Amino acid sequence: MIKRSVGLVVAACGLLLTACLPADAAPPSALPQRLKVSGAQVLDPQGHPIVLRGYNWGQWGTVQPEDGADNAAAGANSVRIPLRWWGEWKEDVDSRDPDAPGHIDPAHLALLDQTIARAVDKHLWVTLFVDSDYGQGAGGRPDNFWSNPAMKQQFVEVWQFLAHRYRTVPYMGAYEILPEPKPIGVDDDGVRAFYDSIIPVIRRIDARIPVIVGPNDNYNLKHLPGAHTTIDPNVIYTGNYFIFDNTLSRIPDILDFRQRFDAPVWINQVGIPSGNPDSRAKARSVLGAFAENDIGWAWWTYRISGSNPDTHGIYYLSPDGWVVKPEWLKLVNSFL
């Protein structure tokens, strides 16, 4: 089903994005407004503080035409969107094509264009992340962006391509360079140096868009201080907050980092499997703490391609189509 959806968007995508996608170059007067980091806050284009809250559209190929409008109507102001590149996932979602422009398969790129267009059309600030199970060193894979210079260079060229492509697209909120790094034998300084090497690549193309970086050890918030960079001030910091028994144990890590470095923290993934004991109570506790402390977040996830209603996801996919979990939709929407 997901393979088929990728193919179907190719013909339609050009029409959909006629008004959205940039030419190769644009004068400064044509550039859209962007978010900006100021101390520990993110500011909207009018200079007002904005706390980014919304959903992950994290399962590739699952986004439906109504999702942008539904998210915005619920109160979301942002959405996190993936490009899966160089990895091995449950579905055939690897977008890498070393011979294509930007090293991205054209059908996958068309679907990415369509997904972004559905968000920006409803004025949702888009966080675009490029995921790579192989490149980040997931599962102890030794061949990664730290150990394979040729693959790192391809990854750099992916970001060059994407930054050019979306330079004049409105409501591009931030570029999350590489989620959940866990390279073998690389410490926090090494992970930070990796991000520091790619931030200037993006800056040479789009000098204004915030970039997002996170800590070593799969975005472990305990490692957050090690992610702090001095190479660029327009940086948002992130980490995972999958909800376990000690539901609020990581809130101090976020607040301590924010105060110590005067820098914003936004949680790229917060979530809990629906079938876990006391899952809704735990979710309310965490989302309530985020609200109390002005911590932005993206819920994992909006739609999940699996058929098990007890895992993550506000919607799951049954043999008869998408099924909503109404109690979860109400709960998460109440914190947007």
Side-chain angles (χ1 to χ4, degrees):
M1 180 179 299
I2 291 176
K3 282 186 182 178
R4 190 161 59 248
S5 68
V6 171
L8 288 174
V9 300
V10 176
C13 197
L15 291 175
L16 182 67
L17 292 178
T18 299
C20 289
L21 290 182
D24 289 340
S29 60
L31 295 177
Q33 295 180 314
R34 294 293 192 220
L35 302 176
K36 183 180 180 180
V37 170
S38 177
Q41 294 181 320
V42 178
L43 305 181
D44 69 15
Q46 288 71 48
H48 303 133
I50 181 172
V51 179
L52 298 172
R53 299 186 182 98
Y55 287 98
N56 274 276
W57 291 353
Q59 292 272 296
W60 182 249
T62 63
V63 177
Q64 302 300 298
E66 67 272 20
D67 289 352
D70 288 350
N71 284 193
N77 58 16
S78 62
V79 65
R80 183 172 180 256
I81 294 174
L83 178 69
R84 311 285 182 191
W85 192 85
W86 195 42
E88 198 169 295
W89 293 274
K90 292 179 181 178
E91 298 88 11
D92 183 19
V93 298
D94 190 343
S95 65
R96 179 173 173 260
D97 181 347
D99 299 320
H103 309 304
I104 302 169
D105 173 81
H108 285 261
L109 181 60
L111 182 56
L112 179 64
D113 286 344
Q114 182 191 68
T115 304
I116 289 173
R118 284 175 171 167
V120 303
D121 181 60
K122 302 305 177 184
H123 296 181
L124 295 171
W125 289 101
V126 172
T127 292
L128 174 61
F129 70 100
V130 180
D131 196 12
S132 176
D133 280 2
Y134 290 170
Q136 67 200 24
R141 184 181 172 95
D143 182 13
N144 55 54
F145 293 145
W146 286 260
S147 61
N148 188 328
M151 288 308 302
K152 181 186 176 183
Q153 180 58 33
Q154 280 195 31
F155 185 72
V156 167
E157 291 165 6
V158 169
W159 269 118
Q160 288 174 319
F161 179 86
L162 294 173
H164 273 295
R165 188 170 188 85
Y166 300 125
R167 182 170 176 258
T168 60
V169 175
Y171 288 94
M172 294 302 294
Y175 290 146
E176 183 181 346
I177 294 173
L178 177 71
E180 300 175 327
K182 195 175 182 179
I184 296 173
V186 178
D187 62 12
D188 292 357
D189 289 343
V191 169
R192 185 180 63 251
F194 170 83
Y195 289 131
D196 283 354
S197 71
I198 295 183
I199 291 172
V201 172
I202 295 172
R203 283 285 167 260
R204 284 192 286 271
I205 300 164
D206 190 330
R208 301 173 306 133
I209 194 167
V211 295
I212 296 176
V213 302
N216 198 5
D217 192 25
N218 287 332
Y219 268 2
N220 185 337
L221 287 165
K222 297 292 184 186
H223 289 255
L224 196 53
H228 185 259
T229 180
T230 58
I231 196 172
D232 192 302
N234 202 18
V235 175
I236 300 169
Y237 296 86
T238 194
N240 286 336
Y241 208 115
F242 290 109
I243 302 169
F244 308 116
D245 288 339
N246 298 320
T247 54
L248 301 182
S249 62
R250 284 159 286 170
I251 298 296
D253 297 319
I254 297 169
L255 300 182
D256 290 348
F257 176 90
R258 198 166 67 181
Q259 182 177 24
R260 176 181 171 186
F261 294 104
D262 193 27
V265 178
W266 167 82
I267 300 301
N268 76 110
Q269 295 180 116
V270 55
I272 185 171
S274 304
N276 282 16
D278 301 321
S279 56
R280 291 203 291 275
K282 291 175 180 176
R284 288 190 191 95
S285 177
V286 170
L287 293 177
F290 288 173
E292 182 179 349
N293 293 285
D294 288 333
I295 300 168
W297 49 271
W299 183 261
W300 183 265
T301 185
Y302 197 59
R303 296 181 186 269
I304 198 159
S305 56
S307 60
N308 184 351
D310 289 334
T311 60
H312 293 276
I314 302 297
Y315 288 82
Y316 65 94
L317 191 58
S318 79
D320 297 322
W322 290 106
V323 180
V324 67
K325 305 175 192 176
E327 69 282 359
W328 279 99
L329 182 65
K330 182 179 179 181
L331 189 161
V332 178
N333 282 354
S334 70
F335 287 95
L336 292 173

